[in-house]
Structure formats: C-alpha cells, structure tokens
Amino acid sequence: MVQDVDPITFAITVGIAIIALIFLFLNPKVAVYVLFFLIIFDLGFFSRWFDVTRYLARLPFLVAILLSVKIGCDYTMNRLGISLNEKIVRIVFKFTILLVITATISTTYNQENIPLGLYELRHYFLLFVLVLSIYHYRPLAFTIEGFIRTLVTIGLIQIPFVILEHLLVTFTNINIWAGGSALDMCSGTFGGYPALVFYQIVAIGSVLTYQLKNGKPIIMPINNYILIIFLIVPLLFSFSRSAMGFLIILCLIILLRNMTQRESTTGPVKTLLLIVCLPIAIFSLFYFFFWERHFDIEKELNPNHVIEYFSRYSRPSIEARIKGEHGVMGRARAVTESCRLVFRTPMQFLFGLGSGSTSEASFLGDRGNYYQRYGPLAGLGRTHISKTIAELGFVGLAVLLIFFITLLRQIRRVDRLHESFLATDIYMVILINILMMAFYTTVLVSSITMFVLGYFIALIQSKLNTIIERGS
C-alpha cells in the first residue's frame, strides 16, 4: 500500500529532479557519465537484494531519452552533424529504423500492444544514443588500448561485489529464497549473472587478443595472463555452469585465429602450447573452485543429461517449480518452439508473433499474448534467438544478422587502412560472444552489452574519420 507523500517533500523532490534534468541537459558530457554509471552499477541490483522498486532499473533509459533530446536539438541547430564519411553511425541509425518498422508491422498484424512492442526495443534505442553521445561528446578514450583498459577496469570492479554477494548468499538466509545457490544472485554490479558472464568473457578475450598481437601488458606492470585470472574470479563466484564452456570456446577460437595471422607476435609453437595449457587452466579453476563443490561433474557432462537439459519441456504448474524442478522450457526447446509457432502462417514466418509477445513489462503493467510464467510456453523468449524469431520473425533475425555483418565490413576497412589497430580482432571477440550467448540468454536485452557495442562502434567511427582525414 502506497503511503501519502507529504506535499512539501513531494514539491522539493520534484524541484530537485527538474533542476538535475536541466543541468544534465545543459551539460551532455556529464549526462553521458551519469548514463555510464547507471549502466555499470545497475540499480536493478537493489531490486533483487533489498526488495526496492524495479523502476530504479529504468533510470538509464530516462537519461538516454534526455540525451536523445539534447542530441536532436544540437543536430537541429547545426551544432552536430553526420557527414557522408560517417558510414558506421549511419548503419546504426538505419538498423534502429528497420527494427522499429519491423516491430510496428509485427505488432499491428498480430494485434499486440504497440506501446509494449516498441518498449521491447528500448535497448536498441539505448545503443543508438550511446553511439551518438560517445562519438560526439567523447567522454572515453578513443584508442584500442583505452577501450580494453576500460573493459578491464570495470571487470576488476566486479570482484569485491561478487565476493560480497557470494558470502551473503552462503552465510545468510538469503539463499533460502534464492534456491540454495548463488546462481542468479551473484551478478556483480550488473542486473543479472548472464550480463556478468558476457562482460567478463569479452574483457578476457580482449586482453588475450592484445597479448597475442602486441606481447606487452595492457595495464603496467601486471602480466596479461595474471590479469585474465583476476577477470575469471567473478565467473567462478557467479556459479554459471556455461561460463566455463563459453570462455574455453572463445579462447580456442582466438588462439586458432592467431595461428593463421602473420602479424602475430606469438610463434606457432607457443600458440600450440597455449591451445593446450589455457583450456586446461580454465577447466581446472572452474573444477576445483566450482564444479567439485557444487555439482556432479559426471552427470553435468553426460551427453544424455545435457540433451535433456536443453531440450526439456516446460513444467506447467507452480507446484513443479516449488519442488525444485525447472519451470521453463530448455533453451534448445525454446528455439524449436518459436520456429513451430511462426511457421503457422507466411506473415508470422516473416514478422513473428508481435514485438513484445513473449515478454512482460512491469513498467507498463502489460505482458504479451505468448508470455507465460508457468505453462506450456514458459521460457519461450529466454534466449535471444528464440525471442527474436518469436517476436519479429525471420525478417527481424535477418535485420540483426545484416547489421553485424555490415559492421564487420566497415571494421575490416579500418584494419586495411590501419593494420595495427586490431579493430577486426576485438570485434570478433565481441561478435563471437554475442553469437554464443544468443543461444543461452537474451544477450542484447542488456544495458552493459549495449555499452560495450556502443563504445566500440563510436571508437571505430572516430578512427575511420582520422584515417580518411589523413588520406585527404
């Protein structure tokens, strides 16, 4: 029950909020820093631990709206502009417009709630605002070294937070309602453990790539391999079983790719040694500090168990969830079920069941027609692949794929003009991680994912401008 607010307190609060918004509007660079803070220190964290309103987690979008208005005003008054050379920024703009058009057609055809459908695109809107604000106001370093150091710094910040969360879950009664596990509760400063897994693996992959290409510490005087171990620590405490697999796969791809490139500073023998030793070291860390204590490794790595886990049907009742059974369908089942649903009509095959149709928006107090917490469709939108197919169809999936492929073409152009920039290598780390986690979670429905993408895109556009200016 909401208590009545004292009129004087309400007036003071509103007054302070208006003054703060005016200040941020007049000082966009400060607004960008505030947005970074709200993304890195996701206030949704407090919602899960202290039963605080979920509206706190929406503050980044409020600041993003404010920044979009400011940027729009600056463009209108010719303070800012996009030249013909700024193709990467134009790609992001076209991508956002195409998604809005696809979502509008999808929701209209399926008679879904249009505000809910557009609200589900809020993270893509955040990406667009981040690209423009970082690119124009330049609040961060525009070098590959600066990019990697930023990732590493934020990754290291996660260590004390994850350890504290783990201790709280382990030694207090919080773990009673957390299901007896630190999983889902140990997420560092982010809103959930999938965001932590994505971010830490990107940071680790970037450091490994830099080491293989340059052979020198990214942060003096710490050895890059020691730095990687530090960055793995939050993953150990997150209790994510899939993190080990994702990390080993990414490291192997980076090492194998490094063997085929001439500009590598690491010889083939040393690379082969790393291909053998690095996965063993990662597996050993996870086994002794995680698997051995909490899971039956023979069962978890049993092919039949893995197949059953990823392809299981959802449990239709809340009683099954109370007994400890998974209430949602497996991740592989979610993909096949979303395909089955959209194959019913040609229009749904193209545009899906409606943007937001598998989602719940507590902010709007609405949910899609195909959203179920318990029931045969529970978990339909739990992975980004299944969510995209179900809500936006194969047109929406194609828009996403074309966006990332088009970005790759432009990034390779930067590498051709500036071979030592590592643009393609770092982008491949980000892209491979997104592709892997798209089958595991809704990876792009995450503010920290959009921060990484937005910063990197702005960095590449700035570097491309510098190369073109020098060439002319």
Side-chain angles (χ1 to χ4, degrees):
M1 188 168 127
V2 179
Q3 296 180 349
D4 293 334
V5 179
D6 178 69
I8 297 177
T9 303
F10 179 77
I12 292 174
T13 304
V14 171
I16 292 173
I18 292 173
I19 293 171
L21 290 174
I22 293 173
F23 174 77
L24 292 177
F25 184 83
L26 296 176
N27 295 271
K29 197 167 184 177
V30 175
V32 176
Y33 284 125
V34 171
L35 180 58
F36 292 165
F37 178 85
L38 293 173
I39 289 174
I40 296 167
F41 295 89
D42 191 329
L43 297 183
F45 161 88
F46 293 102
S47 303
R48 295 186 302 119
W49 282 88
F50 304 110
D51 195 26
V52 178
T53 173
R54 285 290 299 169
Y55 290 136
L56 288 175
R58 307 294 179 258
L59 288 178
F61 302 103
L62 174 62
V63 178
I65 291 171
L66 184 70
L67 274 170
S68 68
V69 174
K70 174 61 177 176
I71 293 170
C73 291
D74 287 344
Y75 274 111
T76 303
M77 299 175 69
N78 293 322
R79 294 173 182 169
L80 300 175
I82 299 179
S83 68
L84 294 176
N85 292 329
E86 294 167 336
K87 292 183 179 180
I88 299 178
V89 173
R90 290 175 177 271
I91 288 170
V92 178
F93 175 73
K94 292 175 182 177
F95 165 68
T96 307
I97 295 299
L98 280 174
L99 274 182
V100 170
I101 293 172
T102 304
T104 302
I105 295 173
S106 178
T107 51
T108 302
Y109 174 79
N110 290 282
Q111 298 181 340
E112 284 281 351
N113 188 320
I114 291 181
L116 173 63
L118 295 178
Y119 179 73
E120 281 302 298
L121 303 181
R122 62 191 182 277
H123 288 91
Y124 300 109
F125 165 74
L126 179 62
L127 172 64
F128 181 59
V129 172
L130 281 168
V131 170
L132 289 180
S133 58
I134 295 173
Y135 175 64
H136 286 300
Y137 301 126
R138 305 178 74 87
L140 299 168
F142 272 5
T143 63
I144 282 293
E145 289 80 7
F147 176 77
I148 298 175
R149 287 187 189 113
T150 300
L151 295 187
V152 169
T153 301
I154 298 171
L156 294 176
I157 289 173
Q158 306 310 309
I159 296 175
F161 284 92
V162 171
I163 292 175
L164 177 60
E165 291 162 0
H166 180 83
L167 291 174
L168 287 172
V169 170
T170 304
F171 296 108
T172 70
N173 61 358
I174 289 177
N175 67 341
I176 294 175
W177 53 267
S181 169
L183 186 65
D184 291 327
M185 295 302 293
C186 293
S187 59
T189 64
F190 305 137
Y193 80 92
L196 178 71
V197 171
F198 168 82
Y199 188 87
Q200 296 299 121
I201 293 179
V202 168
I204 292 167
S206 299
V207 173
L208 179 59
T209 299
Y210 189 82
Q211 169 65 28
L212 295 174
K213 297 296 181 180
N214 292 293
K216 57 183 180 181
I218 187 67
I219 297 179
M220 295 292 290
I222 306 174
N223 180 279
N224 285 332
Y225 293 110
I226 300 297
L227 197 57
I228 286 172
I229 293 175
F230 282 130
L231 292 170
I232 289 176
V233 170
L235 297 179
L236 299 176
F237 284 98
S238 74
F239 275 49
S240 172
R241 286 170 289 183
S242 300
M244 181 187 73
F246 291 145
L247 184 55
I248 291 176
I249 291 171
L250 180 63
C251 288
L252 286 174
I253 291 174
I254 291 171
L255 291 167
L256 290 170
R257 190 168 184 271
N258 179 71
M259 289 184 66
T260 65
Q261 297 175 334
R262 294 180 180 177
E263 65 270 18
S264 171
T265 61
T266 307
V269 176
K270 188 175 180 180
T271 303
L272 282 172
L273 192 62
L274 284 170
I275 288 174
V276 175
C277 294
L278 195 57
I280 292 175
I282 293 171
F283 179 84
S284 300
L285 280 171
F286 276 87
Y287 178 76
F288 290 110
F289 289 95
F290 171 50
W291 290 82
E292 187 180 39
R293 298 183 181 183
H294 303 284
F295 290 99
D296 182 353
I297 193 167
E298 291 185 4
K299 175 185 176 182
E300 294 296 329
L301 296 181
N302 184 294
N304 293 328
H305 172 76
V306 173
I307 292 172
E308 191 280 329
Y309 178 78
F310 282 96
S311 62
R312 69 178 183 270
Y313 289 95
S314 61
R315 305 297 194 268
S317 67
I318 192 171
E319 288 79 10
R321 185 67 177 268
I322 293 174
K323 292 178 181 178
E325 300 179 8
H326 286 281
V328 297
M329 65 181 72
R331 291 178 172 89
R333 178 68 59 191
V335 176
T336 58
E337 189 68 15
S338 63
C339 291
R340 183 188 67 81
L341 290 172
V342 300
F343 281 167
R344 294 180 301 186
T345 68
M347 196 66 176
Q348 288 181 332
F349 172 81
L350 292 174
F351 295 101
L353 307 171
S355 179
S357 60
T358 69
S359 308
E360 180 183 32
S362 56
F363 181 76
L364 300 178
D366 199 4
R367 61 177 61 180
N369 291 329
Y370 293 86
Y371 173 82
Q372 292 180 354
R373 184 176 293 274
Y374 301 103
L377 297 182
L380 182 63
R382 69 179 305 200
T383 75
H384 211 85
I385 295 295
S386 65
K387 179 181 175 68
T388 302
I389 293 173
E391 295 192 359
L392 299 176
F394 284 89
V395 168
L397 186 62
V399 169
L400 280 174
L401 292 175
I402 291 170
F403 169 65
F404 286 112
I405 292 171
T406 308
L407 276 182
L408 178 60
R409 291 178 60 188
Q410 291 298 322
I411 290 167
R412 281 181 171 173
R413 180 186 174 196
V414 173
D415 269 341
R416 285 195 299 269
L417 298 172
H418 195 295
E419 293 182 359
S420 63
F421 193 59
L422 303 183
T424 303
D425 297 280
I426 299 300
Y427 180 69
M428 291 305 296
V429 169
I430 298 171
L431 182 59
I432 291 169
N433 202 21
I434 288 175
L435 290 175
M436 288 192 300
M437 294 206 67
F439 290 91
Y440 177 70
T441 185
T442 49
V443 60
L444 296 178
V445 185
S446 167
S447 299
I448 197 63
T449 302
M450 295 312 181
F451 169 77
V452 173
L453 265 178
Y455 183 10
F456 187 75
I457 291 170
L459 165 64
I460 296 302
Q461 180 63 79
S462 177
K463 190 63 180 180
L464 184 59
N465 290 350
T466 302
I467 293 171
I468 292 173
E469 289 171 5
R470 289 177 180 175
S472 60

